[in-house]
Amino acid sequence: MKNIKSIFNCLTISLFLFVFAACESDWDDHTKIDNNIRGESLMQVISSNSETSVFASILQKTGYDQLLKDDKMLTVFAPVNSALTSVDMNDNDALLNLVKNHIAYASYTVENGSFATSKIQMVNSKYTTVNGLQINGASLDTEAGKYNISAANGILHFMNGVISTQKNIWEYLQAQPNNLQAEFIHSMDKLVMDMNKSVQIGVDPSGRPLYDTVWINQNLLLDAFPINDESQDLTFALLPNEVVTRIEAKYAKYFARPIQTEQDSLVRAQLIGDCVLAPVLINADGRYASIDGVLVDISTAKITETYTASNGLVYKLSDADVKIYENKVKTIFIEAEDFNSIFTDNRDAWSKRAKTTMSGGYDILMNGFVTYVSKSIDNPLDSAVITSINGFEYQSLSSPDANNGYWVRSNNCYIQFNPTINSIAYKLYWSAYDDFLKHSDGTSIANLKNHEPIKFSQKMLLSLPDQPVVTRGADAKITNNFSATSAFASNRITAGVQEEKQLYRCLLSKVTADDGLFVLSKNYQYTSEDDFFNHFTGSDALGDKETIISPTYGKATVLVANTTEYKGNYAGMLFLDYIKLVPVVDPND
């Protein structure tokens, strides 16, 4: 038994050694690693090989031989001598550019017949495109022992060609003569002081600091659309000048500014931004999205040249277009919870409520009293009663208490938003949901066993770009609303009903005591819901009964406020889920 076990162990060891030897042989064949050079640096390996002697000389001329001698892990793509016959050995700048485009930090090896990456970043920060065993079109030498060569500080590959240095998108654009897009981007260059690198070297006679100043170039357009960033992957639509001016003429209507030169710059910046597309290969006619989501209409028949840049693709086009309707000019959707500020005499009166049924998962509530005329459903001829309704259910309080501190006591409390709008007419919508059960089930009103659901109202005040900002004063009065005689409101919001409502311009009360409070005019008969509005029926430069027109592009101020019908402590609640500003644009534009 002992002899059998010994024989088995010997056979097992022999089999293991055989398999190990076979695997090692296969690995050597696969990786082409010369074990004898693992203790040598990359520079030593390149210098000792007759096929890379020219590249070794270039490394020494440029000083990059030192980099290849230290302990940094590198990958070197060394062109063989025959690939360097046309290189000018006296052009130091060209030699330096060549070297830096053939060395990469980290290790890149061939596995299963190709590199396991689509891009390699060289020490010049340029990204090269890898396709199988080609790098920017230059082919790897696949002869045994000429790739995947392991040295002490990295990997060496022989190349049968020189890896071309690709321009990035911005460098390519700058090489285009008399191009309006490139010239405008360049005009945005500005030298600014780099405070982190500048060194204070003293003070002047006035006590102001003196610096050994380091200046850097800043370009806000390139910051926003980084076509100069080597780490990006983008696509750019390069347009001829006549197409640029044609599209800009369309844009001008929607991006009006008080000063013409300011408007011209804005419009051109907008168009250039729309030409910076998300990374895409354009191989079919279609609408291609910019990184800001604007769709550009491109036909493959209009592509005159395609350039593969180090950070993406450039398509040189003979024509293209950008539609305006719900594309360049879109509906503005504002979630109530994304407010810029609020005003109230009591912060505790405001609540951001998590509601799964609401847009964005939240809405905004402001507690307050509402005075409402309610009728019995059982007997509509019953006398109406006036009741005070509030949002205290959210605070788990069974009844309002003047001392509990959870409701507003002043007029024109508001929630503020600052959307950027185009120079065009807008229709206004909002959604507000009074979901308090006892506002709709009849249990909260004394003297009535069954009543119609409570309805409440709220208003919208606005100021437009380049106009004085709409403001609530300490006396609760409103100044700088777009109109002194009207404000926007929707039909009353019915408790228990979740719906979107359009807003209309409503005339303000002409009662002297209401001056400045922007209380809406109303018909106390209430024979129909529309009686509440007394709609604005005229028209002026700022719109009509259902639109507001912004003369210029820019930031507006929107206030959603209470105090629509009553004043004093009966200022009203606010409920808001979202606001929509729908631009009035011809669908064919």
Side-chain angles (χ1 to χ4, degrees), residues 431-481:
S431 177
Y433 183 31
D434 179 355
D435 60 346
F436 292 128
L437 182 60
K438 70 180 186 180
H439 289 186
S440 57
D441 71 357
T443 62
S444 67
I445 297 189
N447 304 322
L448 288 181
K449 294 181 179 179
N450 192 16
H451 67 85
E452 63 183 352
I454 298 303
K455 296 180 181 180
F456 76 96
S457 57
Q458 56 195 26
K459 66 191 175 190
M460 181 182 290
L461 307 165
L462 304 100
S463 58
L464 301 171
D466 305 298
Q467 302 299 318
V469 175
V470 61
T471 303
R472 178 197 186 278
D475 57 359
K477 295 185 176 182
I478 301 296
T479 55
N480 300 329
N481 185 51

Side-chain angles (χ1 to χ4, degrees), residues 114-145:
S114 66
F115 289 100
T117 182
S118 61
K119 284 183 175 291
I120 294 175
Q121 187 181 25
M122 301 301 183
V123 297
N124 59 1
S125 298
K126 294 286 186 182
Y127 281 84
T128 56
T129 303
V130 179
N131 184 8
L133 294 176
Q134 288 192 331
I135 303 174
N136 279 6
S139 298
L140 189 80
D141 190 332
T142 57
E143 186 179 340

Side-chain angles (χ1 to χ4, degrees), residues 291-354:
I291 60 176
D292 281 346
V294 176
L295 300 176
V296 182
D297 296 334
I298 297 176
S299 167
T300 54
K302 303 300 182 181
I303 299 173
T304 61
E305 180 183 331
T306 302
Y307 179 76
T308 302
S310 58
N311 60 347
L313 294 169
V314 179
Y315 288 97
K316 206 169 187 179
L317 305 170
S318 61
D319 199 6
D321 198 12
V322 179
K323 298 297 183 185
I324 301 297
Y325 179 75
E326 287 300 337
N327 181 37
K328 183 58 186 173
V329 178
K330 298 183 179 74
T331 292
I332 300 170
F333 196 95
I334 308 170
E335 296 286 2
E337 60 270 19
D338 295 333
F339 60 85
N340 292 92
S341 64
I342 58 175
F343 171 80
T344 180
D345 61 349
N346 185 355
R347 185 84 184 194
D348 291 334
W350 289 89
S351 300
K352 175 183 174 182
R353 308 189 302 172

Side-chain angles (χ1 to χ4, degrees), residues 72-300:
K72 290 185 175 67
M73 286 301 297
L74 305 167
T75 300
V76 179
F77 303 89
V80 296
N81 294 343
S82 59
L84 297 169
T85 54
S86 61
V87 173
D88 184 352
M89 297 296 287
N90 295 314
D91 188 340
N92 290 331
D93 289 339
L95 295 179
L96 191 60
N97 289 334
L98 185 148
V99 166
K100 291 194 291 186
N101 205 49
H102 287 77
I103 303 171
Y105 293 113
S107 296
Y108 296 92
T109 58
V110 175
E111 303 290 342
N112 300 319
S114 66
F115 289 100
T117 182
S118 61
K119 284 183 175 291
I120 294 175
Q121 187 181 25
M122 301 301 183
V123 297
N124 59 1
S125 298
K126 294 286 186 182
Y127 281 84
T128 56
T129 303
V130 179
N131 184 8
L133 294 176
Q134 288 192 331
I135 303 174
N136 279 6
S139 298
L140 189 80
D141 190 332
T142 57
E143 186 179 340
K146 294 187 177 179
Y147 68 97
N148 280 5
I149 302 169
S150 179
N153 58 342
I155 302 296
L156 174 64
H157 305 288
F158 287 11
M159 302 295 296
N160 285 327
V162 173
I163 301 172
S164 60
T165 303
Q166 293 169 300
K167 296 180 175 70
N168 62 40
I169 294 173
W170 174 223
E171 289 168 339
Y172 177 82
L173 295 188
Q174 292 180 89
Q176 307 305 305
N178 303 316
N179 179 267
L180 291 178
Q181 289 170 291
E183 289 176 353
F184 182 79
I185 297 172
H186 185 65
S187 72
M188 299 290 285
D189 285 346
K190 181 181 179 182
L191 284 177
V192 296
M193 181 179 178
D194 187 339
M195 292 299 298
N196 293 324
K197 296 180 180 178
S198 298
V199 178
Q200 184 175 348
I201 56 176
V203 293
D204 68 10
S206 300
R208 292 173 297 190
L210 295 174
Y211 290 92
D212 180 11
T213 305
V214 175
W215 298 94
I216 57 173
N217 185 62
Q218 183 183 74
N219 188 305
L220 296 179
L221 196 57
L222 291 177
D223 289 344
F225 304 101
I227 56 175
N228 61 330
D229 187 341
E230 294 288 346
S231 67
Q232 295 290 322
D233 188 10
L234 300 167
T235 299
F236 192 86
L238 182 61
L239 305 177
N241 291 348
E242 61 270 18
V243 175
V244 169
T245 54
R246 188 194 75 221
I247 297 176
E248 286 178 350
K250 284 174 52 173
Y251 283 16
K253 174 182 176 182
Y254 305 97
F255 293 90
R257 296 294 302 145
I259 302 172
Q260 187 63 46
T261 54
E262 182 183 339
Q263 176 177 312
D264 292 343
S265 293
L266 171 64
V267 167
R268 183 148 299 171
Q270 287 283 331
L271 178 56
I272 289 172
D274 296 339
C275 290
V276 182
L277 310 180
V280 64
L281 182 65
I282 301 178
N283 52 17
D285 296 352
R287 308 185 79 191
Y288 293 90
S290 74
I291 60 176
D292 281 346
V294 176
L295 300 176
V296 182
D297 296 334
I298 297 176
S299 167
T300 54

